[in-house]
Amino acid sequence: MVKQYESRAPAYGIVARTLHWLTVLLIAAQFVIGWTMPGVHKDTQPVGLIAWHLGVGAALIAVMVLRVVWRLTHRPAPDEALPPLLGVVSGITHFLLYICLLLVPLLGWINASSRGWTVRLAGVVPYPSLSRTGSPFGHAMGDVHGILAWVLFSLIVLHVIAALFHHFVLKDHVLQRMLPNAGSSRDSTHNR
Ligand code: HEM
Ligand code: HEM
């Protein structure tokens, strides 16, 4: 028997919700492209799906920088009704998600630089190179990128199961807080 509790915490702000769902779209695209694109080898050129992976990746990096800046300056109101242990577990999962959301793209970018590939936002604005061409460190980071993508995937699965568990089993308002149509009058984010 699952203990019921009444979550009445206000919704995430419109900016936080927009950034959350934009990240979801970009990450979903990155996984699909990353898992279907041809294997990357020494003489591979950044064309086709690989070019798409770098392009979507550049957009994701920009969105994540905005998201982290926004999150650090706009803390969501704590859900007072949430059992303390659940609050700690969700806090740790969100923190790990943020770490992976920053590290996975960063390692992909380092690897792209070590291959002599320039990462460009919208195909126009070049990002700086993060490692020299042919760097063994940059090469190794490509492997870590692929492994950490699986860690990120596992966290996302856990996160989505938790959101659905809140909605369908605990029947509280945790999922509603993050939905695009969540009430703006109950906006919870406030400047620190
Ligand atoms: C969270 C976002 C991302 C996800 C989920 C993701 C996922 C993946 C996956 C699944 C692979 C294939 C790994 C393998 O076959 O072992 C891959 C490879 C790669 N990704 Fe990403 N990626 C992301 C972001 C980026 C970004 C931002 C860049 C660069 C700007 C990038 C550059 C690369 C490169 C260069 C490879 C080939 C690495 C190698 O085989 O050495 N990725 N990515
Ligand atoms: C790529 C997939 C996803 C990623 C990377 C992701 C990431 C995150 C992160 C980092 C947070 C913490 C927000 C903060 O406090 O700053 C969050 C919150 C949240 N996400 Fe996701 N999310 C994803 C998909 C989803 C999906 C598919 C759902 C719904 C089924 C969902 C529902 C929620 C909810 C309800 C919250 C608020 C949780 C709370 O207030 O305790 N997320 N998400």
Side-chain angles (χ1 to χ4, degrees):
M1 179 74 182
V2 177
K3 193 167 169 281
Q4 299 279 326
Y5 70 94
E6 190 63 358
S7 162
R8 281 279 161 201
Y12 278 81
I14 180 71
V15 177
R17 279 180 280 139
T18 305
L19 291 172
H20 176 270
W21 292 107
L22 194 56
T23 314
V24 173
L25 274 180
L26 294 171
I27 294 277
Q30 273 310 66
F31 273 114
V32 172
I33 301 169
W35 282 331
T36 53
M37 69 189 191
V40 178
H41 306 291
K42 198 167 172 285
D43 299 318
T44 305
Q45 293 303 309
V47 292
L49 284 177
I50 297 173
W52 275 100
H53 194 68
L54 299 182
V56 174
L60 183 65
I61 290 167
V63 169
M64 277 316 297
V65 169
L66 284 179
R67 189 168 178 190
V68 168
V69 169
W70 190 261
R71 180 62 170 80
L72 290 175
T73 51
H74 298 76
R75 188 164 43 96
D79 188 343
E80 306 289 357
L82 202 66
L85 183 63
L86 219 52
V88 171
V89 172
S90 87
I92 292 173
T93 313
H94 292 167
F95 179 73
L96 291 177
L97 272 169
Y98 274 117
I99 295 291
C100 285
L101 287 170
L102 289 170
L103 258 187
V104 173
L106 182 70
L107 298 180
W109 180 4
I110 292 175
N111 181 261
S113 300
S114 74
R115 296 179 184 280
W117 299 347
T118 305
V119 178
R120 284 192 173 81
L121 184 61
V124 184
V125 186
Y127 286 2
S129 171
L130 293 187
S131 75
R132 64 175 172 77
T133 308
S135 138
F137 171 75
H139 182 77
M141 289 309 105
D143 295 339
V144 184
H145 175 73
I147 295 166
L148 220 56
W150 277 108
V151 176
L152 173 61
F153 183 77
S154 313
L155 285 169
I156 290 172
V157 170
L158 193 73
H159 175 68
V160 173
I161 290 174
L164 298 179
F165 185 77
H166 274 285
H167 190 69
F168 292 109
V169 181
L170 296 177
K171 295 189 186 344
D172 58 25
H173 290 76
V174 167
L175 177 59
Q176 264 113 309
R177 247 155 75 89
M178 193 47 107
L179 292 183
N181 60 351
S184 54
S185 58
R186 301 176 68 216
D187 194 321
S188 77
T189 50
H190 47 266
N191 293 329
R192 274 183 197 271

